[in-house]
Amino acid sequence: MNRFHEFMRSFQKTAPAVLLLGAVYVLGGYTGGIDSERVLFCYALTVILAAAAALIDTEISPDRYARYYTSVIGNTFRGLDRASFQFRKGVRLLCERHYAAALDTLLGVEDYQLSDREKAVLFFFTGTCYRNMGYPTNSAKYFVESLASGMRHPDAELGAARGYAAAGSVNEAKEFYDKLFEKNYHKLYYPFLYTDLGMMYLKAELPDEAIGCFRQGIDEKMDIHSAYGGIAAAYLVKNDVSKSLEYFRRVAVSNMADFEGFIVYYINIAKTHGCYDEVCGFVPVSRGAENAEAVGSLD
């Protein structure tokens, strides 16, 4: 929704009350004998006040952001102070995917005197900007600071875990993943947590640990398609091509949503670990007939 439509919606919401008050004043003054110029002035003044109220309502309305963002922001940064205006501008830029500008704006909010709750929210969105820009270490740092300031949204812990994992900080990431599992967040919110943890180990060239995580996900019937794919890749890292192809076949018949993307990933892993010549004849280059033919050839 663009700014004009947001303003018009707020104007429709706020104007009636302001205009009604203005009408009461004008009519009262008119019966007392005020002249037509003052009547027009009062009407003009009430319209201006209604427009101002609509602008303020538009600026502070949580409807301006996605519902996900409003669930994190809550009632913070709803005022007319400079910190709130700058924070809201940063979130708008983030919503519009202007990540560098959003980050610069949000970093500037740190210069103001903030409550712990405001710091928690601000650091959450700063971490989100860094994550979207591809700076996982900085992202993890800000999610950790958000948690230290009192953030209770589960995505803050997930953001910290994924940031550390992407940065290759296995031990730090594992601490946060353990906390998520302890709180049963893999059952409440994130059925992909075992896959996340397995992919972290796979990236760190720890295939046995990765396979263990993927198998746990399969045992608990969580993100099974991705878990099969992770095991197939892990066996390539172990140079066990036969076992890898066994799990590749399971991926191929499991209706994975992004099977083509997985193929690209699988081939790259095979090339990296010197297995490409052994798997290329079994891996389809696209979905459809070639996929079906390749699956049959693995029997």
Side-chain angles (χ1 to χ4, degrees), residues 23 27 68 108 131 173 223 282:
L27 290 175
Y68 168 74
R131 180 194 64 202
D223 201 19
F282 296 92

Side-chain angles (χ1 to χ4, degrees), residues 4-23:
F4 176 74
H5 288 151
E6 290 173 356
F7 169 76
M8 290 306 298
R9 185 175 64 178
S10 293
F11 187 83
Q12 290 173 359
K13 181 170 64 175
T14 60
V18 178
L19 292 175
L20 179 60
L21 289 174

Side-chain angles (χ1 to χ4, degrees), residues 118-265:
E118 287 172 332
K119 290 178 182 177
V121 172
L122 173 63
F123 294 152
F124 183 98
F125 284 95
T126 305
T128 300
C129 279
Y130 273 121
R131 180 194 64 202
N132 293 348
M133 293 175 70
Y135 298 108
T137 301
N138 289 341
S139 175
K141 170 192 170 185
Y142 270 94
F143 280 121
V144 170
E145 290 192 19
S146 177
L147 290 164
S149 297
M151 175 57 68
R152 293 294 177 263
H153 198 289
D155 284 4
E157 285 180 295
L158 179 65
R162 284 183 157 181
Y164 281 129
S169 302
V170 173
N171 293 332
E172 291 84 351
K174 182 64 163 52
E175 286 184 25
F176 280 97
Y177 279 118
D178 285 345
K179 292 177 183 178
L180 291 166
F181 282 115
E182 288 171 7
K183 296 177 180 179
N184 280 324
Y185 282 177
H186 59 303
K187 296 179 181 179
L188 295 172
Y189 306 115
Y190 312 123
F192 50 78
L193 273 187
Y194 287 114
T195 304
D196 260 28
L197 193 56
M199 293 304 294
M200 179 189 73
Y201 283 128
L202 193 56
K203 180 181 176 182
E205 298 285 312
L206 298 169
D208 291 325
E209 289 84 346
I211 290 172
C213 293
F214 293 133
R215 289 193 186 281
Q216 279 187 281
I218 293 171
D219 290 343
E220 296 197 31
K221 295 180 172 53
M222 293 184 171
D223 201 19
I224 294 176
H225 306 324
S226 299
Y228 283 146
I231 293 175
Y235 275 116
L236 284 183
V237 176
K238 291 168 64 70
N239 287 304
D240 189 339
V241 175
S242 176
K243 198 72 173 176
S244 175
L245 290 175
E246 174 188 331
Y247 279 91
F248 179 87
R249 183 182 185 280
R250 296 188 188 188
V251 176
V253 299
S254 69
N255 294 319
M256 176 184 279
D258 187 19
F259 183 52
E260 291 182 9
F262 171 72
I263 290 173
V264 173
Y265 170 75

Side-chain angles (χ1 to χ4, degrees), residues 106-125:
L106 293 173
L107 288 174
V109 181
E110 293 184 31
D111 296 334
Y112 297 98
Q113 187 172 357
L114 305 173
S115 67
D116 285 343
R117 173 59 185 165
E118 287 172 332
K119 290 178 182 177
V121 172
L122 173 63
F123 294 152
F124 183 98
F125 284 95

Side-chain angles (χ1 to χ4, degrees), residues 31-179:
T31 57
I34 62 173
D35 55 42
S36 59
E37 287 80 5
R38 290 195 62 187
V39 171
L40 291 175
F41 172 78
C42 290
Y43 268 124
L45 181 60
T46 55
V47 171
I48 291 172
L49 290 174
L55 283 172
I56 293 172
D57 183 73
T58 299
E59 179 62 36
I60 69 175
S61 174
D63 295 337
R64 302 206 56 201
Y65 315 121
R67 184 174 298 176
Y68 168 74
Y69 285 161
T70 62
S71 70
V72 178
I73 297 171
N75 291 322
T76 58
F77 294 110
R78 294 291 306 279
L80 300 178
D81 56 290
R82 294 180 66 182
S84 295
F85 273 99
Q86 188 164 337
F87 172 81
R88 292 192 293 265
K89 178 183 177 182
V91 176
R92 288 198 299 270
L93 290 167
L94 175 61
C95 291
E96 294 166 0
R97 301 184 180 181
H98 301 307
Y99 299 133
L103 178 62
D104 184 63
T105 303
L106 293 173
L107 288 174
V109 181
E110 293 184 31
D111 296 334
Y112 297 98
Q113 187 172 357
L114 305 173
S115 67
D116 285 343
R117 173 59 185 165
E118 287 172 332
K119 290 178 182 177
V121 172
L122 173 63
F123 294 152
F124 183 98
F125 284 95
T126 305
T128 300
C129 279
Y130 273 121
R131 180 194 64 202
N132 293 348
M133 293 175 70
Y135 298 108
T137 301
N138 289 341
S139 175
K141 170 192 170 185
Y142 270 94
F143 280 121
V144 170
E145 290 192 19
S146 177
L147 290 164
S149 297
M151 175 57 68
R152 293 294 177 263
H153 198 289
D155 284 4
E157 285 180 295
L158 179 65
R162 284 183 157 181
Y164 281 129
S169 302
V170 173
N171 293 332
E172 291 84 351
K174 182 64 163 52
E175 286 184 25
F176 280 97
Y177 279 118
D178 285 345
K179 292 177 183 178

